[in-house]
Amino acid sequence: MKRIPTMCLNCSTVCGMIAHVKGGRIIKLEGNPLDPNARGKLCAKGQAAINMVEDPDRLHYPMRRIGARGSGKWERITWEEAISDIAVRLRKLRQEKRPEALMLQYGRDRTNGFLDRFTDAFGTPNKLGHRGLCSLNKRMAIKAALGDTDWDTADFLQSRFILNFGSNFYEAHQGHVGMVARVAEARRNGARMVTFDVRLSHTAAQSDEWQPIFPGTDGMVALAIGHVILEENLQNTAFIENWTNVTVAELKEHYKRYTPAFAERESGVSAEVIRRIARDFAEAAPHATTVSNRGAHAHFNGFHNEWAILCLNALVGSIGEPGGLCYLSGDVNQSVPQPGPLPPKPKIRTELSHPAAYPFANELYPRAVSSTIYPDLSSGRAQIDTLISYYVNAPMSWPEGPTLVREVLLSEDKVPFHVAIDAFFSETVEVADYVLPDVTFLEKWDLDARNSYDLRPYVGLRQPVVAPPGECRDIRDILIRLAHAIDGEMAKWFPYADAESFVRAWASTIPVGFHTLLQSGIWVDQAAQQAYRPYLQPVRVDLSHPDVHVDAEGIVTQKSLHTDAYKKIGVLWNGVVVRGFETPDRRFHFKLDQLRKLSLAHEDHEIYPSYFSTWARRAALTEREFVLTTFKWNVHTQSRTANQQWLTEIVGDNPCWIHPLSAVRLGIRDGDLMILRRQMKESAPLPLVEICVKAFLTEAIHPQVVAISASFGHWQYGRTAAFRGYNPNALIESAADPIGGGQAWNDTIVQIFTAD
Ligand SMILES: Nc1nc2c(c(=O)[nH]1)N[C@H]1C(S)=C(S)[C@@H](COP(=O)(O)OP(=O)(O)OC[C@H]3O[C@@H](n4cnc5c(=O)[nH]c(N)nc54)[C@H](O)[C@@H]3O)O[C@H]1N2
Ligand SMILES: Nc1nc2c(c(=O)[nH]1)N[C@H]1C(S)=C(S)[C@@H](COP(=O)(O)OP(=O)(O)OC[C@H]3O[C@@H](n4cnc5c(=O)[nH]c(N)nc54)[C@H](O)[C@@H]3O)O[C@H]1N2
Ligand code: SF4
Ligand SMILES: [Mo]
């Protein structure tokens, strides 16, 4: 039996794993103890990934469609034919000088840069992922206020008070396994956790307190907590005055409008509870942290909600402190830079890469707004010739997926040529012209990492543990061949024989060497200091050097060696240069002047974290009307694990959660079928959409909310997955927060009727 370390990718947490392999088959998958996050644990999904490799419905060969698009008629072709046909189409776009007519749409990409290499070399900015559906509002808020990174890494182990706004990290969250173990240990040591969620999720159940909250009001609660902290002078004045771009007096003036009574009216969380939480949070500081995720930010007001939550940590001075809200980059390219040669970034911008309605997102996070893609292609506001889809299933996972997205993908006018690179016959493959079979993550090479909850950078290796079936090929093998077949200009950026030689070249600079990494699977940079108070880290610089400049605010800039441009490297603090925050003034931002400049703040106070009520909050809901929310199950990842038999045996359905008191009023019993009809908006009427779902009566949900997990509702994808459960996305409009650009998943009003 062989024991081969690799990295899981059955969700985006990328835990280190060890495969036990005998006779070319995986016998068992278990955790790699060297992984600093998961520390030797895998969740059920990780262990079930054997089902994914051995899935009887996998794609094995390249195929070309022979009937009408979507008709299900295919012919098997050779790789040579596939590459040559696709290269002819792509070469023409380059010859006609319209490379931007290529759009590469991807979902769970962990090649960590290879797709950019291809689209940059090709000359198109349209490399578009699912970020705008996932975490964009959160990342935007962190990037705008803190600057260094777009993700938080709370130091749970040393925390005494954990304030959770809409993250279900006991079942999901990008940090899942590593977070659960640490929070459980902290709680055994006396830490307390309060969870705001519309449902009694597993995380809420594992908390000291569950506060059912009205959807889209987490930011209001955070602002009211801030109000109490400032009113009672519990803030960390030194941190605010020294390290943020406001004064305590300014904050007091701003926060005074967000009273606990106002928050109670909006959120349903009692003013008394808000006051108590504010005091407990401030008292535990700096060993106090927030944690948040899609419950708080997947809303029209998601950016401000997330920013208000982040600011709580700055108010009590727990940012970067042991037990507080820490941060460090999780980008593997920071520890191990990509091997060259790297093509230049295309200068051109398109409506797809930089949608006009999202100026702030375009500035901080270009190519990340996802909600606009299919409406723009549908209306003709954006046009493409060729779509390459990789590891993505937009008809399932996008808002209006089964309706608008599927219609766009079926239309040869809107998407003239569509190549899908997938391991399974998904709803995206269904509407492709060419299908290229990818290897699964247990058959491929990658370097990967996430933000480490041990606060030290690390690098993990994903390596093949078994051979892929049929003629499956790694996407990098496909893109290398395509680049060489397109033209010599493209080929020069791809001097690699295949994915393996590329990853070997990439890993060659890791201090322990590639050979050791093959054996260990993980390398942790033990020499690095744990990332506490990164903003106070000294910067080595000679202030008397002519290329170094200090301005009146103490901001230190240095002339680049290669260009004449000056780069900000730190700030003068008590006579020494320290890093500060990676914002223009090296301070944490409680105030964003860009919002005014970009007309995203209509009143003066809106340049500070503010509360904007959502349409669902403003509506006077009748007994028949509910806010529809969606969530992730612990044993499924998006809808992509639905064909993994062991997992679907545990959870094989996704009925709609509804409170018994609400259901009774409508004459609905547990297990009844009910009709969910999307509510019209007064401003922009939407087409009528209805879906029929099974009711699951439970007191574990807010009485004005219904919830459907996003795990099922396939009409393709294999024999275990197909025609099981419901896809809620037909009901959810493509619409995003105007500031953050993140999709508003949890703001839809539905009317409910009995199905008979
Ligand atoms: N209603 C609702 N919708 C949601 C969400 C929600 O909570 N509720 N969550 C949103 C979020 S957070 C996200 S991130 C997006 C995710 O949306 P997607 O990125 O579309 O979802 P994934 O499930 O990660 O991957 C989709 C597809 O990748 C393909 N695939 C699986 N394995 C492989 C492989 O090994 N190789 C290749 N090439 N392809 C493979 C399969 O066809 C799979 O269906 O969905 C969003 N949609
Ligand atoms: N098991 C599993 N793990 C995953 C994934 C998966 O699909 N399955 N996907 C990965 C990905 S891509 C992502 S983005 C993360 C997502 O990780 P999370 O954001 O933690 O998970 P979600 O289920 O999307 O949403 C979290 C919670 O928000 C609640 N909620 C909905 N509306 C509101 C609200 O207005 N306020 C509050 N306070 N709560 C609300 C939901 O009930 C849900 O429990 O998980 C990652 N890990
Ligand atoms: S959380 Fe589970 S599915 Fe996700 S990477 Fe870790 S073991 Fe794999
Ligand atoms: Mo996500």
Side-chain angles (χ1 to χ4, degrees):
M1 180 125 65
K2 280 194 280 188
R3 193 183 161 277
I4 309 173
T6 187
M7 287 181 103
C8 187
L9 190 50
N10 229 359
C11 86
S12 49
T13 306
V14 302
C15 302
M17 93 184 339
I18 292 173
H20 296 265
V21 178
K22 197 171 170 185
R25 288 189 67 186
I26 305 167
I27 305 298
K28 167 92 185 128
L29 294 169
E30 61 182 17
N32 182 348
L34 297 177
D35 182 310
N37 281 334
R39 300 192 292 195
K41 302 280 192 294
L42 294 184
C43 79
K45 302 183 296 305
Q47 306 196 34
I50 299 177
N51 289 175
M52 173 198 64
V53 173
E54 302 196 344
D55 188 327
D57 301 316
R58 276 185 67 170
L59 299 170
H60 283 205
Y61 307 104
M63 296 192 294
R64 178 166 51 204
R65 116 178 125 82
I66 43 178
R69 192 182 280 174
S71 66
K73 297 203 182 76
W74 301 90
E75 63 174 346
R76 182 175 160 184
I77 53 172
T78 63
W79 271 107
E80 288 65 36
E81 277 177 281
I83 296 288
S84 140
D85 289 5
I86 299 164
V88 165
R89 187 91 187 195
L90 292 180
R91 189 183 309 126
K92 191 155 171 277
L93 295 184
R94 278 174 50 89
Q95 282 166 349
E96 291 169 359
K97 305 248 174 296
R98 49 184 197 118
E100 71 283 4
L102 167 66
M103 163 171 146
L104 196 160
Q105 166 94 83
Y106 65 99
R108 186 54 61 216
D109 168 42
R110 296 304 293 188
T111 61
N112 291 311
F114 207 87
L115 302 190
D116 293 88
R117 187 183 291 253
F118 186 82
T119 48
D120 290 352
F122 194 82
T124 179
N126 299 329
K127 175 203 163 239
L128 307 171
H130 64 210
R131 183 137 289 170
L133 308 183
C134 174
S135 50
L136 185 58
N137 285 336
K138 179 176 171 78
R139 291 179 193 267
M140 284 280 297
I142 299 176
K143 222 169 172 183
L146 202 121
D148 296 57
T149 157
D150 59 3
W151 207 245
D152 48 2
T153 310
D155 186 28
F156 293 114
L157 269 183
Q158 301 192 61
S159 196
R160 307 289 303 159
F161 195 97
I162 299 159
L163 197 46
N164 173 20
F165 292 95
S167 160
N168 186 12
F169 61 88
Y170 269 76
E171 302 186 73
H173 195 290
Q174 289 77 346
H176 178 44
V177 178
M179 291 168 81
V180 174
R182 286 168 170 83
V183 170
E185 191 174 328
R187 291 187 68 234
R188 279 197 296 277
N189 293 334
R192 292 185 56 233
M193 176 158 72
V194 175
T195 290
F196 297 94
D197 198 303
V198 296
R199 295 177 311 125
L200 182 66
S201 65
H202 285 3
T203 312
Q206 291 296 325
S207 303
D208 296 273
E209 222 172 294
W210 167 44
Q211 291 294 341
I213 186 168
F214 191 92
T217 63
D218 294 72
M220 177 70 240
V221 171
L223 290 164
I225 293 174
H227 170 102
V228 176
I229 290 171
L230 288 159
E231 189 183 54
E232 301 187 5
N233 263 326
L234 303 174
Q235 76 281 354
N236 185 324
T237 302
F239 182 83
I240 296 169
E241 299 280 340
N242 291 323
W243 284 108
T244 78
N245 66 343
V246 292
T247 60
V248 171
E250 252 175 295
L251 286 181
K252 286 196 174 191
E253 180 58 29
H254 173 69
Y255 274 77
K256 85 177 178 213
R257 74 199 77 219
Y258 298 117
T259 61
F262 180 12
E264 179 175 326
R265 285 197 298 279
E266 290 297 298
S267 67
V269 179
S270 91
E272 237 357 86
V273 165
I274 290 174
R275 288 194 179 278
R276 171 169 51 78
I277 290 174
R279 291 173 193 139
D280 288 353
F281 186 71
E283 191 187 305
H287 302 279
T289 182
T290 61
V291 49
S292 60
N293 217 352
R294 293 167 42 79
H297 65 73
H299 293 278
F300 281 115
N301 55 6
F303 175 86
H304 273 277
N305 290 349
E306 190 64 39
W307 187 22
I309 294 165
L310 176 63
C311 284
L312 286 178
N313 302 281
L315 274 178
V316 299
S318 75
I319 293 212
E321 294 293 318
L325 188 114
C326 296
Y327 54 95
L328 84 168
S329 168
D331 181 2
V332 69
N333 289 300
Q334 296 238 338
S335 321
V336 197
Q338 290 272 318
L342 282 173
K345 294 266 165 221
K347 295 218 168 58
I348 182 166
R349 292 171 161 222
T350 65
E351 170 63 21
L352 290 168
S353 66
H354 294 75
Y358 296 91
F360 196 38
N362 293 339
E363 196 177 299
L364 278 192
Y365 234 118
R367 309 193 295 181
V369 178
S370 312
S371 312
T372 48
I373 298 175
Y374 291 95
D376 279 353
L377 288 174
S378 176
S379 68
R381 219 178 132 85
Q383 282 158 359
I384 56 167
D385 173 80
T386 297
L387 166 66
I388 300 180
S389 311
Y390 168 62
Y391 225 131
V392 67
N393 202 0
M396 282 295 294
S397 50
W398 250 250
E400 302 178 68
T403 48
L404 175 97
V405 173
R406 187 159 188 275
E407 277 157 32
V408 168
L409 292 175
L410 272 170
S411 158
E412 290 183 45
D413 288 336
K414 302 191 161 50
V415 180
F417 189 67
H418 180 193
V419 179
I421 304 175
D422 206 306
F424 305 96
F425 197 94
S426 68
E427 288 73 9
T428 299
V429 169
E430 182 193 24
V431 289
D433 302 324
Y434 283 76
V435 180
L436 307 180
D438 192 16
V439 295
T440 65
F441 74 78
L442 285 159
E443 300 150 344
K444 74 193 285 208
W445 295 94
D446 280 322
L447 287 189
D448 209 346
R450 280 209 86 86
N451 52 312
S452 161
Y453 286 90
D454 266 356
L455 298 170
R456 278 193 191 93
Y458 74 101
V459 175
L461 177 72
R462 193 170 287 121
Q463 60 177 313
V465 304
V466 286
E471 295 181 1
C472 296
R473 277 195 187 162
D474 187 305
I475 181 156
R476 278 159 301 199
D477 293 339
I478 301 172
L479 296 182
I480 291 170
R481 271 166 194 73
L482 256 183
H484 284 263
I486 292 171
D487 55 44
E489 204 23 57
M490 271 209 81
K492 78 174 192 220
W493 308 109
F494 295 87
Y496 302 99
D498 52 23
E500 179 177 347
S501 53
F502 170 77
V503 173
R504 279 179 184 269
W506 188 11
S508 62
T509 56
I510 293 179
V512 279
F514 188 65
H515 196 71
T516 308
L517 198 60
L518 277 175
Q519 312 298 319
S520 63
I522 301 277
W523 170 70
V524 180
D525 186 357
Q526 294 293 359
Q529 292 273 328
Q530 279 185 293
Y532 291 118
R533 303 184 192 103
Y535 61 96
L536 288 181
Q537 218 176 67
V539 178
R540 257 189 244 140
V541 63
D542 176 4
L543 287 180
S544 60
H545 195 281
D547 286 349
V548 176
H549 180 250
V550 185
D551 75 8
E553 297 281 299
I555 295 163
V556 183
T557 44
Q558 186 172 30
K559 198 156 141 192
S560 152
L561 280 179
H562 311 289
T563 63
D564 275 348
Y566 275 85
K567 187 171 177 269
K568 289 181 182 147
I569 56 165
V571 59
L572 209 51
W573 167 248
N574 288 345
V576 282
V577 181
V578 297
R579 246 171 67 181
F581 294 92
E582 291 259 345
T583 52
D585 58 6
R586 313 303 288 184
R587 285 175 171 80
F588 179 93
H589 280 195
F590 268 106
K591 187 165 73 178
L592 289 168
D593 288 323
Q594 292 109 302
L595 296 183
R596 190 174 11 226
K597 284 193 206 111
L598 297 169
S599 306
L600 294 169
H602 304 295
E603 293 187 38
D604 281 353
H605 75 265
E606 293 173 1
I607 61 168
Y608 300 88
S610 301
Y611 173 67
F612 302 87
S613 61
T614 63
W615 178 64
R617 175 64 283 182
R618 289 193 301 278
L621 297 178
T622 64
E623 279 192 353
R624 201 165 279 299
E625 288 169 345
F626 296 81
V627 183
L628 170 67
T629 64
T630 64
F631 66 96
K632 285 152 176 123
W633 274 118
N634 53 353
V635 297
H636 281 290
T637 295
Q638 321 296 7
S639 54
R640 87 172 124 105
T641 51
N643 213 46
Q644 296 180 20
Q645 180 108 22
W646 295 346
L647 300 177
T648 299
E649 279 170 10
I650 303 171
V651 173
D653 198 4
N654 62 341
C656 178
W657 295 34
I658 180 166
H659 197 283
L661 293 176
S662 312
V664 158
R665 283 202 287 267
L666 301 178
I668 289 165
R669 286 158 308 172
D670 192 47
D672 280 359
L673 285 179
M674 51 187 195
I675 292 176
L676 265 53
R677 177 186 298 166
R678 172 163 79 180
Q679 173 64 295
M680 302 296 131
K681 265 191 180 168
E682 57 300 76
S683 53
L686 295 163
L688 179 78
V689 180
E690 292 181 343
I691 65 168
C692 188
V693 295
K694 196 161 66 189
F696 168 56
L697 269 55
T698 169
E699 283 164 5
I701 187 160
H702 189 292
Q704 289 176 300
V705 176
V706 290
I708 307 182
S709 96
S711 340
F712 294 103
H714 283 283
W715 56 95
Q716 294 288 345
Y717 212 60
R719 65 197 78 175
T720 306
F723 304 111
R724 201 183 256 283
Y726 316 93
N727 187 324
N729 289 3
L731 297 167
I732 299 171
E733 183 195 2
S734 316
D737 175 338
I739 303 174
Q743 166 69 22
W745 284 109
N746 299 312
D747 300 327
T748 302
I749 300 179
V750 290
Q751 293 183 318
I752 297 189
F753 301 92
T754 49
D756 44 23

